[in-house]
Amino acid sequence: MMEAQHILKKILLKWRVYRFMEIAFLALSFAMIAYLLSVSLVIALSAFVVAGLIGALYYQPWNYGLTDICSHLDASLRVLENSASLLLRPEEELTLLAKIQQSKIAQTLKSNKKSIYIKNRVGLGALITLCCSGLVMFCYFNGALENPKTQIPQTTQKDDIVITALDTATVAIVPPKINKQAIIIDYPEYTNKRRLVTSDMNIKALEGSTVKWRVDYNQKIKASWLQFGTDNVSMSKRNTSYVALRNAENSSFYNLKFLDTLENRYISDLYALEVYKDEAPSINITGLQPFTSFDFAEPQLLEFTAHVKDDFGLTEVAIIATVSKGKGESVKFREERLSFDNFFKKASTSSLLKKKLDLRTLKMEPGDELYFYVEATDIKSPKPNSTRTETFFSVIRDTVKDGFAVEGTMGADLMPDYFRSQRQLIIDTEKLIADESKLEKKEYNFKSNELGFDQKALRLKYGKFMGDETEGPVAPTTNTMADTDSEDPLASYSHKHDSDNEHNLVAEEEHDHEHDHEESQDQEEDPLEAYVHNHEDPEASTLFAQSLKSKLKQAMAEMWDAELYLRLFEPEKSLPYQYKALKLIQEIKNSARIYVHRIGFDPPPIKESKRLSGELGEVKSSSKQADLEKKFPYIFMNRAIERLELLRTTKVSLQPTDREIFQKAGEELALLAIKEPSKYLNTLQGLKLLSEAQNSNEEDLKAIQKGLVQALPNLSAEPVKGDSYSSRLNELMLDALENNE
């Protein structure tokens, strides 16, 4: 029984909601109609309140209760057998038969609750409100909702529109005048700028704004329109005013033109419509260098600050980062979009953002490179402006991997085959030092000596690039002290041939030095010696440039010292020399490297069946034709100058063809006047009057002609074929010179 009563209460609540919705839609429709008639928000709000009160008093939804609901159910559902009211009575007041009927009606109501329908007019009210809303929007965008009493401000003397009659009128005719005018600029919604109302006809508006002109005349006229060059915008009559709308897309000049009731034409001065664009965001990055590099062992942090500004607001500022891994054809790119550390507030015009970027969080390894830039987008709609900074480059230095290098004068790879040998020596040496406590002394000395031999092999490999193509033959030697001396404790660990021939090499070097010294005294110094490679001299037969050769010499000297301490079983003293040699070799490798900015380019997929097939059936060749003839851009201005000179001297009257010339000359001059309106506006105004009027005076023609001449740009001289001047005297002189020879 309680469930049945709960159903009745829900039906009552639903019925009251329907009644209040009907009242609300009715009141809203009346308010919109009142706004259309009065163009006043106060009157519209008053109409909404009054209509709502009247509707509430008429329906009185608070007076209805559960009894009315039961009567409605008895009338709409026959299965309830006119017994729905029994559900409201307590069981103790009912007879046995009434209790049975009450239980039956409760079950019937539960099973038929979905079929209960409450009659209402909510859909009709919503449709009427929607129609009224569409009518209000239509009138708003067509300028019909502007209140002339409140929207047109009082004009000042400097804003008065100067009117000129184009036709000859009798003295008895009083020409119409403009009482007041208003220019209403509605900025785009994303700017959140309030509507601007002014009486100045020279307008400066944001691109995408809606500009409305409202003009009040002191007497009745026949028609009125705005002229934007050759484009005419008709003004529609609203009450006592004439209204025109135009979207601000391009800068131009315009004037007001109208006809009185006697078909006399009138035109105003020219006015400027200057349209400025929404500026793109500006980004200023501080605390960051264009290129940074890190060692793998040191902290890999980039800290910088970005100051982002925009004229109307920003929607997003992000860091676009691209990580490159690998090299050559196996290079891979991964692009990520990173945010700044501090909070960025949307729609703000200025933000100071900070970022602390750890390269380890990007899963970068030695040799990987990072390219990133900051991108900002403003709130312009529908197409926002976007700005990005220059690309910043960061790399984790890799001393293990080999890299192809191009020397300044040779397109060849001059690096050794196994460039990471020196790095591997360092790793092995550090491992040997760490395992010293675990190894026996004999094994420890043996491994140190082996590393010394590997160091020598690497030194000899680099010696080939210095011109030392041979180390010298290994010749047997006799040593009388070998039998008498005690056994060398290093004999079992060292390579005998490493030092057997060293005394011969030193003697040969001294001999060569003395021989070269003697020859230098007998022969003159060769002036080309500094510019050629002398392959007879090992010191000069290197493939490297002089700057690289000096570094390689120094690296080989460091290798020599590193080898010495490895031979002496002191690898910890050898490490500093190995690191110095590695650093010098790395500098040699990077000295002529060409860095190419890598971008994340994803090539289109290629069908495997088409690869390497040589089929060019779908490949189309392109051709382009261009007319390189330079045309003079101010043809009609030149013709207008000639025609004005003829009108001044011959006193002929203006012809229809003259008006066309002056009109097109004004279009050419308008392009220059947009950049410098103060300089060319008077001349442009004169051309406009000439293209519309039927007569003119000599002073006006002279002023217009002077302005056109000054507006023409200075043309640069071009080479042309000219006729050489020849005379009989020159010919006699040439004949005399030929005879004397």
Side-chain angles (χ1 to χ4, degrees):
M1 190 63 60
M2 297 297 296
E3 185 178 357
Q5 293 180 357
H6 180 68
I7 294 174
L8 292 176
K9 292 179 181 179
K10 287 181 64 176
I11 296 173
L12 177 61
L13 178 62
K14 188 176 181 180
W15 183 86
R16 288 177 176 175
V17 169
Y18 282 154
R19 290 296 178 264
F20 279 115
M21 289 179 65
E22 291 175 359
I23 295 170
F25 282 132
L26 178 64
L28 190 59
S29 300
F30 273 103
M32 291 184 180
I33 294 174
Y35 183 74
L36 285 175
L37 298 176
S38 63
V39 197
S40 175
L41 290 175
V42 176
I43 296 178
L45 183 60
S46 302
F48 177 79
V49 173
V50 172
L53 291 175
I54 294 175
L57 293 175
Y58 178 77
Y59 285 108
Q60 296 182 357
W62 56 84
N63 287 335
Y64 285 82
L66 293 177
T67 305
D68 300 312
I69 295 300
C70 291
S71 300
H72 173 73
L73 293 178
D74 290 337
S76 59
L77 293 177
R78 295 183 179 180
V79 293
L80 296 179
E81 300 176 356
N82 293 325
S83 302
S85 59
L86 292 176
L87 299 174
L88 302 178
R89 298 177 62 183
E91 294 184 2
E92 56 271 12
E93 297 180 0
L94 300 178
T95 62
L96 179 61
L97 183 61
K99 291 180 180 179
I100 297 174
Q101 182 69 8
Q102 185 186 49
S103 177
K104 178 182 177 182
I105 297 302
Q107 294 296 329
T108 304
L109 181 63
K110 282 191 265 185
S111 59
N112 292 275
K113 63 181 179 179
K114 293 183 178 180
S115 60
I116 297 174
Y117 173 75
I118 299 177
K119 187 176 181 181
N120 62 85
R121 298 184 180 86
V122 175
L124 180 61
L127 180 61
I128 295 174
T129 304
L130 183 63
C131 294
C132 293
S133 301
L135 183 61
V136 170
M137 295 299 295
F138 176 78
C139 296
Y140 174 80
F141 285 108
N142 283 274
L145 295 183
E146 298 296 338
N147 192 336
K149 296 181 180 180
T150 58
Q151 293 295 335
I152 298 185
Q154 294 295 328
T155 58
T156 59
Q157 186 174 2
K158 67 175 184 178
D159 295 336
D160 289 342
I161 299 178
V162 179
I163 302 299
T164 303
L166 297 177
D167 301 318
T168 303
T170 61
V171 181
I173 296 177
V174 178
K177 293 183 179 180
I178 297 175
N179 287 334
K180 49 188 175 181
Q181 73 277 354
I183 293 86
I184 305 153
I185 303 175
D186 291 322
Y187 294 96
E189 291 185 4
Y190 71 87
T191 61
N192 291 325
K193 293 186 67 175
R194 298 180 60 184
R195 168 182 291 181
L196 176 64
V197 181
T198 180
S199 60
D200 188 2
M201 298 290 283
N202 292 304
I203 306 167
K204 186 175 182 180
L206 177 66
E207 183 182 18
S209 302
T210 302
V211 184
K212 306 174 186 178
W213 287 265
R214 293 184 64 89
V215 181
D216 269 6
Y217 295 94
N218 63 345
Q219 57 180 277
K220 187 177 180 180
I221 62 172
K222 186 175 183 180
S224 179
W225 61 91
L226 298 174
Q227 284 188 324
F228 294 86
T230 57
D231 186 15
N232 294 330
V233 178
S234 299
M235 304 185 74
S236 57
K237 190 175 182 181
R238 297 286 187 272
N239 298 326
T240 60
S241 304
Y242 283 82
V243 180
L245 287 90
R246 185 179 179 91
N247 290 329
E249 298 176 354
N250 300 306
S251 298
S252 60
F253 292 92
Y254 73 99
N255 60 279
L256 178 66
K257 191 174 181 180
F258 61 92
L259 292 175
D260 61 10
T261 54
L262 299 178
E263 300 289 338
N264 293 318
R265 297 178 301 161
Y266 301 89
I267 190 172
S268 69
D269 289 344
L270 283 177
Y271 300 99
L273 172 59
E274 182 181 353
V275 178
Y276 61 94
K277 296 182 178 292
D278 186 349
E279 297 292 336
S282 64
I283 309 174
N284 184 24
I285 303 294
T286 56
L288 184 63
Q289 298 295 328
F291 171 78
T292 52
S293 59
F294 301 95
D295 290 329
F296 183 71
E298 66 177 338
Q300 302 162 9
L301 295 176
L302 292 173
E303 295 187 43
F304 60 93
T305 303
H307 190 196
V308 189
K309 296 189 296 183
D310 188 68
D311 45 3
F312 294 110
L314 300 160
T315 56
E316 185 181 13
V317 181
I319 302 171
I320 312 300
T322 302
V323 179
S324 67
K325 290 179 174 290
K327 60 180 181 178
E329 295 181 356
S330 62
V331 66
K332 295 182 180 179
F333 297 96
R334 184 182 79 251
E335 185 173 291
E336 295 187 15
R337 196 176 187 91
L338 309 176
S339 58
F340 284 88
D341 296 338
N342 53 330
F343 176 73
F344 167 70
K345 183 180 179 181
K346 287 189 176 182
S348 60
T349 58
S350 179
S351 294
L352 188 63
L353 304 174
K354 297 181 179 180
K355 182 65 178 178
K356 190 174 183 179
L357 181 62
D358 189 355
L359 302 189
R360 298 182 188 274
T361 59
L362 299 177
K363 300 179 181 180
M364 292 182 62
E365 300 174 353
D368 292 351
E369 298 172 346
L370 172 67
Y371 308 91
F372 68 94
Y373 59 88
V374 179
E375 185 178 46
T377 307
D378 64 5
I379 62 175
K380 181 183 177 184
S381 179
K383 185 177 180 180
N385 293 321
S386 179
T387 301
R388 53 169 289 181
T389 62
E390 62 178 339
T391 301
F392 296 91
F393 174 74
S394 183
V395 63
I396 300 178
R397 286 191 289 265
D398 183 16
T399 57
V400 177
K401 296 182 180 179
D402 181 17
F404 179 78
V406 179
E407 200 269 332
T409 57
M410 292 189 62
D413 187 4
L414 305 182
M415 295 297 105
D417 293 336
Y418 303 98
F419 188 77
R420 59 178 175 179
S421 297
Q422 184 61 56
R423 179 61 178 167
Q424 189 64 46
L425 280 172
I426 294 175
I427 296 173
D428 293 341
T429 303
E430 291 175 344
K431 184 178 180 182
L432 179 62
I433 295 172
D435 296 342
E436 181 180 3
S437 60
K438 303 177 183 179
L439 301 174
E440 296 181 359
K441 185 175 182 181
K442 184 178 180 180
E443 185 180 359
Y444 178 80
N445 294 343
F446 177 78
K447 289 187 176 182
S448 179
N449 186 63
E450 287 294 325
L451 290 175
F453 177 76
D454 292 338
Q455 182 69 80
K456 177 184 176 181
L458 181 63
R459 175 173 56 83
L460 293 179
K461 184 182 297 183
Y462 279 98
K464 293 180 181 180
F465 294 93
M466 290 294 297
D468 298 335
E469 307 240 347
T470 60
E471 183 71 12
V474 179
T477 60
T478 59
N479 190 353
T480 58
M481 300 296 292
D483 298 334
T484 59
D485 293 343
S486 60
E487 185 179 356
D488 184 4
L490 301 180
S492 60
Y493 307 107
S494 62
H495 296 273
K496 293 294 184 180
H497 62 270
D498 292 348
S499 58
D500 288 342
N501 201 37
E502 288 183 356
H503 65 283
N504 292 332
L505 295 176
V506 175
E508 183 179 349
E509 184 179 355
E510 294 176 355
H511 173 72
D512 293 342
H513 178 71
E514 294 175 358
H515 181 66
D516 294 342
H517 181 67
E518 292 175 359
E519 288 183 353
S520 63
Q521 295 177 354
D522 299 335
Q523 298 179 358
E524 295 182 358
E525 184 180 357
D526 187 2
L528 299 179
E529 183 178 358
Y531 305 99
V532 299
H533 291 287
N534 182 10
H535 291 276
E536 296 178 358
D537 183 7
E539 294 293 330
S541 61
T542 175
L543 295 176
F544 288 109
Q546 189 67 26
S547 60
L548 300 183
K549 183 171 69 174
S550 61
K551 286 187 177 182
L552 190 54
K553 278 185 178 181
Q554 187 178 354
M556 293 174 64
E558 300 292 342
M559 291 180 187
W560 184 277
D561 294 333
E563 179 189 352
L564 172 63
Y565 286 105
L566 289 171
R567 298 287 195 180
L568 294 174
F569 315 135
E570 296 179 354
E572 64 277 356
K573 294 183 179 181
S574 174
L575 272 179
Y577 298 100
Q578 293 187 43
Y579 274 113
K580 291 179 182 179
L582 179 62
K583 183 178 179 181
L584 290 169
I585 293 171
Q586 190 70 22
E587 290 178 358
I588 294 172
K589 183 184 72 171
N590 294 334
S591 61
R593 174 180 285 183
I594 300 174
Y595 290 96
V596 180
H597 180 75
R598 295 174 179 174
I599 58 176
F601 169 69
D602 295 328
I606 301 176
K607 295 181 180 179
E608 293 296 332
S609 59
K610 298 291 185 180
R611 286 178 62 90
L612 305 177
S613 62
E615 297 180 3
L616 303 177
E618 298 180 0
V619 179
K620 298 180 181 180
S621 59
S622 60
S623 61
K624 180 181 179 181
Q625 295 181 354
D627 186 8
L628 301 180
E629 182 181 357
K630 186 177 180 181
K631 298 181 179 179
F632 184 68
Y634 305 106
I635 299 176
F636 289 98
M637 288 175 63
N638 260 343
R639 293 176 60 182
I641 293 173
E642 297 174 0
R643 188 58 183 171
L644 287 171
E645 182 66 23
L646 184 63
L647 292 174
R648 287 177 52 210
T649 55
T650 60
K651 305 296 183 181
V652 297
S653 59
L654 289 171
Q655 302 297 324
T657 55
D658 296 338
R659 295 189 179 92
E660 183 179 357
I661 292 174
F662 295 145
Q663 181 179 355
K664 293 187 176 181
E667 295 174 5
E668 295 176 352
L669 183 60
L671 299 176
L672 300 175
I674 290 175
K675 300 178 181 179
E676 298 181 84
S678 60
K679 187 175 181 180
Y680 305 115
L681 191 57
N682 293 332
T683 305
L684 189 61
Q685 175 66 35
L687 284 173
K688 185 68 177 178
L689 291 175
L690 282 179
S691 62
E692 298 284 349
Q694 297 180 355
N695 50 16
S696 60
N697 54 63
E698 185 176 353
E699 293 182 359
D700 294 339
L701 296 177
K702 186 176 180 180
I704 296 171
Q705 186 183 30
K706 182 180 179 181
L708 287 175
V709 172
Q710 293 177 349
L712 285 177
N714 296 326
L715 300 179
S716 58
E718 298 180 357
V720 294
K721 182 180 179 181
D723 298 331
S724 59
Y725 178 75
S726 179
S727 64
R728 180 60 179 168
L729 181 60
N730 291 342
E731 294 175 358
L732 293 175
M733 182 183 294
L734 293 175
D735 292 340
L737 292 174
E738 293 176 357
N739 294 333
N740 290 336
E741 294 178 358

